[in-house]
Amino acid sequence: MSLYSLPLKKSAITLNVPPTLYVAGAPVEGELELDYELLLDDDIDRITVGLEGTIHTKNRVAAQTETFKVETNDFLRKAITLWSKGRSAPPEQDRILHIPFSLPLPADAPPSFGFESYMNVAYVRYAIEVTGVRTGTFAIDRTIKVPVVVVAPDPLGAALRTELKLGWQGDWGRIKAEDRIRKMPWGEYSTVRMELLVPHLDTFPLFAAIPYSIILTTTSAPTKRKGLAQPQKDIFPPVPRSASEIDFELRRHVDLKTPYFPSNPEEHVADIISKAHAPVPPVDVEITDHIWLPEEGKEDKGCWMQEATFHSSMILRYTPTFLTEEIKTKYTLHLKVYFPGMGNCLRIEFPINIGSGLESSVLVDERALAPMTIDVPATYWDPTKWSDQ
């Protein structure tokens, strides 16, 4: 029985849904196992299976209040009857009935999504709901709701994903930042330069190793050199020598309609390189020797230059970029490196578009270290808490 196989009371009805990452426009498929005798004992008259899709937003009307504006868009409600008492033949031998079902997703269905903050909550949720309708005045229906995850189809991203797996041979995008800095509030300026290299992609597909390089170049303030002397050990500015000296993260902007003004909260999604822990995948570091750059006509005066390059890759597992009337998302790569001295920091912000990289639904291997599915908040998987939000 899979993770999504959940029984109803007395195991009269069991829903089997293989763990799957669904693509919009594809069918959501599964099977009901019905214990015929227990169905009769529980006075179940009929059984329906439905596919639900909901966009839900909840926004505080002001910062210091517990009053919220809640909006819900039930954009998908599709149900079929799979079994009816008296109309469906009892099993001839085994008391268990096996009834498959297939419910199509709309081709334009938005991806599964979850965002929670003090001021704003936003979700796009999908679920299969099984209802055992019971007869009797005070009878309570038997229901079960199983969340499923959906992304939009992405033929372009699927092709790029294949190219990335084979090793990127295409063009590279270069994003640069440069500044003049001083260790103290006096003296001559040094120069620091940073480049972020990523594949030149219209969309960054999920579940593919996307290579990147960070090149940091430092050039000292003009100084004197005696003969072939090497630079002093404390020459300023030093190049970062470890990935732990770099902050590289993915952030997400969530545009929402709120009661007070158009809201654009931002959240940290993932660390690509973090000072807090070792990066995964690991980062390769290459550091050149110092190079002497003499001034024109003056071999004994010039600047020292050094370069450090950090190579690795990132794997994205997050809700693809999407747009609805209620929610709009955008992603940005944030790269930041500090140097000694007050306010000496280089920053790069690079907006990217994330696509699913999928053309069809895929089964999810839950035993894998990194299952092929997207990260959503834990409450997405607990329908009993959906009404609380």
Side-chain angles (χ1 to χ4, degrees), residues 15 44 73 84 98 142 165 170 176 188 193 211 216 234 260-262 272 281 300:
L15 170 62
I44 294 178
N73 175 8
S84 297
H98 298 269
R142 308 301 188 195
K165 285 186 175 181
K176 302 178 182 181
E188 296 192 67
R193 185 170 65 251
L216 289 154
D234 60 349
Y260 39 95
F261 53 77
I272 301 171
D300 62 342

Side-chain angles (χ1 to χ4, degrees), residues 52-368:
E52 303 178 358
T54 301
I55 298 175
H56 174 81
T57 58
K58 179 180 177 181
N59 301 292
R60 289 182 189 269
V61 297
Q64 303 299 325
T65 182
E66 292 301 315
T67 303
F68 297 86
K69 183 178 181 181
V70 180
E71 295 185 355
T72 301
N73 175 8
D74 296 324
F75 65 89
L76 174 59
R77 289 294 184 271
K78 187 174 296 184
I80 57 175
T81 299
L82 287 189
W83 180 86
S84 297
K85 183 167 61 176
R87 296 184 181 180
S88 301
E92 296 180 358
Q93 297 178 348
D94 192 355
R95 58 188 279 178
I96 303 299
L97 288 169
H98 298 269
I99 305 178
F101 64 86
S102 179
L103 297 166
L105 285 161
D108 59 351
S112 298
F113 173 73
F115 170 77
E116 300 175 7
S117 70
Y118 175 77
M119 294 293 294
N120 315 103
V121 173
Y123 271 93
V124 180
R125 298 183 175 117
Y126 294 88
I128 301 170
E129 184 168 71
V130 179
T131 303
V133 181
R134 301 176 69 225
T135 56
T137 305
F138 301 104
I140 299 175
D141 293 342
R142 308 301 188 195
T143 61
I144 189 169
K145 183 175 287 189
V146 174
V148 294
V149 177
V150 177
V151 294
D154 179 22
L156 172 61
L160 293 173
R161 191 161 154 255
T162 300
E163 291 185 45
L164 288 165
K165 285 186 175 181
L166 296 174
W168 182 249
Q169 301 296 321
D171 295 333
W172 291 80
R174 286 178 175 262
I175 309 93
K176 302 178 182 181
E178 184 172 321
D179 198 7
R180 298 170 69 235
I181 64 174
R182 296 188 293 192
K183 190 173 184 179
M184 299 295 181
W186 57 84
E188 296 192 67
Y189 284 94
S190 304
T191 302
V192 289
R193 185 170 65 251
M194 178 166 63
E195 289 185 89
L196 172 62
L197 279 69
V198 293
H200 185 73
L201 303 172
D202 292 328
T203 182
F204 281 55
L206 301 180
F207 317 121
I210 301 171
Y212 67 84
S213 294
I214 300 168
I215 304 173
L216 289 154
T217 306
T218 60
T219 304
S220 71
T223 185
K224 290 187 176 181
R225 183 190 189 193
K226 292 183 179 181
L228 299 177
Q230 294 300 304
Q232 298 178 357
K233 292 184 178 180
D234 60 349
I235 188 170
F236 178 85
V239 295
R241 309 187 73 85
S242 168
S244 62
E245 299 177 65
I246 295 175
D247 286 321
F248 190 23
E249 65 180 7
L250 177 68
R251 300 191 68 84
R252 176 165 58 201
H253 299 263
V254 184
D255 289 342
L256 301 169
K257 295 180 181 179
T258 66
Y260 39 95
F261 53 77
S263 176
N264 184 19
E266 182 183 6
E267 65 173 337
H268 169 272
V269 176
D271 288 319
I272 301 171
I273 301 178
S274 171
K275 294 181 179 180
H277 53 76
V280 179
V283 177
D284 295 327
V285 184
E286 299 175 8
I287 301 176
T288 67
D289 294 331
H290 281 94
I291 300 174
W292 176 247
L293 303 176
E295 291 185 7
E296 186 175 355
K298 296 181 180 179
E299 289 297 324
D300 62 342
K301 188 175 181 181
C303 302
W304 288 102
M305 185 183 74
Q306 191 174 30
E307 187 173 275
T309 304
F310 299 80
H311 304 281
S312 189
S313 61
M314 66 183 99
I315 300 177
L316 306 177
R317 306 180 185 278
Y318 317 105
T319 298
T321 308
F322 74 99
L323 168 67
T324 69
E325 291 186 6
E326 300 86 355
I327 306 170
K328 178 182 179 181
T329 64
K330 296 180 290 184
Y331 287 93
T332 307
L333 293 173
H334 284 241
L335 175 60
K336 186 166 52 179
V337 176
Y338 288 95
F339 295 88
M342 185 177 297
N344 292 335
C345 179
L346 281 179
R347 292 179 173 86
I348 284 177
E349 296 185 8
F350 179 53
I352 63 171
N353 182 73
I354 297 180
S356 71
L358 299 176
E359 294 186 275
S360 58
S361 302
V362 294
L363 291 175
V364 177
D365 182 1
E366 295 174 318
R367 298 168 297 179

